[in-house]
Amino acid sequence: MKTLVVYLMSGSRTPELAAAAVEGGADIVELGFPFSDPLADGPVIRRAAERALREGMRTRACLECLERTHELVPDVPLVPMTYAALLEAYGWERFATDARHAGASSLIVADLPAGERPELKRIQLVAPTSTDARLRIAADETDGWLYLVTVTGTTGARADLSPALAGLVTRARAVTDVPLYAGFGISTPDHARAAAELADGIVVGSRAVEVAEDGPEALRDYVRTLREGVDSVVAN
């Protein structure tokens, strides 16, 4: 069975939105921690981060959001996605401990390269531009699964699935047996189906954040369409 990961920005409504995403078929939920200079994030997630910051979502508030989400979906892996500067300010070990106590199953630090702070267990990201050596380091250090960034650039919905994904999957499979989940630019059921034919799972962020603005019911229905797209690969 292919894995469906849904990304949401932390905020006051996020626990209920996460529960709706799980009802729609999400297997894992990423919780974005807003940052004022998010290099990997496209315009949709940047705007969501700005709204969250205006709402007062700092690191401690995000951890409380994580804890509330865990209470609603205790059996679903929750993965904070954050940036190194936030962990530097909060304290690396302190963050890892507090996130785990709040219900995190792992974490993603978007701008922390593989090989740096190897003591911090986290999901590693690789991109089409990653060298084979970097792929090996990331695969050896990743926590549970390897995040394949399908494009060179920032997050955001795109018209077509990146043609670079197939080659990245082939290169990653040559160096590791860990599950490979593809993200960035996946927004439609057709994208989900095409990506799931290549990888072990998919990650959907920007479009999920957009749909979440319309409330839990809209998000649940949208995630259900992604679930159907992913599951159609298994059925064939």
Side-chain angles (χ1 to χ4, degrees), residues 80-94:
M81 185 168 184
T82 185
Y83 284 85
L86 297 182
L87 272 65
E88 185 71 33
Y90 190 86
W92 294 89
E93 292 183 8
R94 179 188 172 205

Side-chain angles (χ1 to χ4, degrees), residues 5 23 27 44 49 53 59 72 75-76 117 140 146 148 150 165 168 170 182 200 216 219 223 231:
V5 185
E23 289 175 8
D27 300 300
V44 170
L53 290 171
T59 302
L72 290 183
D75 299 323
V76 175
R117 291 194 174 270
D140 288 344
L146 193 61
L148 306 186
T150 66
L165 176 58
L168 181 57
T170 298
D200 302 303
L219 180 63
V223 173
D231 288 348

Side-chain angles (χ1 to χ4, degrees), residues 44-234:
V44 170
I45 293 180
R46 279 178 177 268
R47 287 193 297 269
E50 290 167 359
R51 289 194 299 270
L53 290 171
R54 288 196 299 270
E55 186 183 324
M57 296 303 297
R58 304 300 188 265
T59 302
R60 171 47 59 186
C62 290
L63 288 168
E64 292 170 357
C65 173
L66 169 64
E67 186 171 14
R68 292 196 303 273
T69 304
H70 180 62
E71 290 170 356
L72 290 183
V73 288
D75 299 323
V76 175
L78 302 176
V79 181
M81 185 168 184
T82 185
Y83 284 85
L86 297 182
L87 272 65
E88 185 71 33
Y90 190 86
W92 294 89
E93 292 183 8
R94 179 188 172 205
F95 182 90
T97 298
D98 289 356
R100 184 171 61 252
H101 288 166
S105 61
S106 187
L107 71 148
I108 296 171
V109 187
D111 58 346
L112 186 64
E116 294 189 20
R117 291 194 174 270
E119 74 282 0
L120 183 70
K121 290 295 292 180
R122 62 192 189 273
I123 295 160
Q124 303 282 354
L125 292 87
V126 295
T129 54
S130 298
T131 65
D132 288 345
R134 180 63 63 184
L135 272 173
R136 291 189 184 91
I137 294 171
D140 288 344
E141 294 185 357
T142 201
D143 185 21
W145 49 279
L146 193 61
Y147 193 140
L148 306 186
V149 176
T150 66
V151 296
T152 301
T154 60
T155 60
R158 289 167 169 81
D160 300 301
L161 186 68
S162 170
L165 176 58
L168 181 57
V169 168
T170 298
R171 293 173 58 218
R173 291 206 191 282
V175 299
T176 186
D177 294 326
V178 302
L180 309 176
Y181 299 168
F184 284 50
I186 298 172
S187 61
T188 69
D190 286 343
H191 291 165
R193 183 182 304 109
E197 287 176 347
L198 297 169
D200 302 303
I202 67 164
V203 185
V204 178
S206 293
R207 183 57 184 153
V209 169
E210 283 185 319
V211 175
E213 295 176 9
D214 293 327
E217 185 175 347
L219 180 63
R220 181 179 62 246
D221 292 346
Y222 168 65
V223 173
R224 188 171 290 131
T225 68
L226 298 174
R227 181 80 260 171
E228 291 170 354
V230 168
D231 288 348
S232 70
V233 176
V234 179

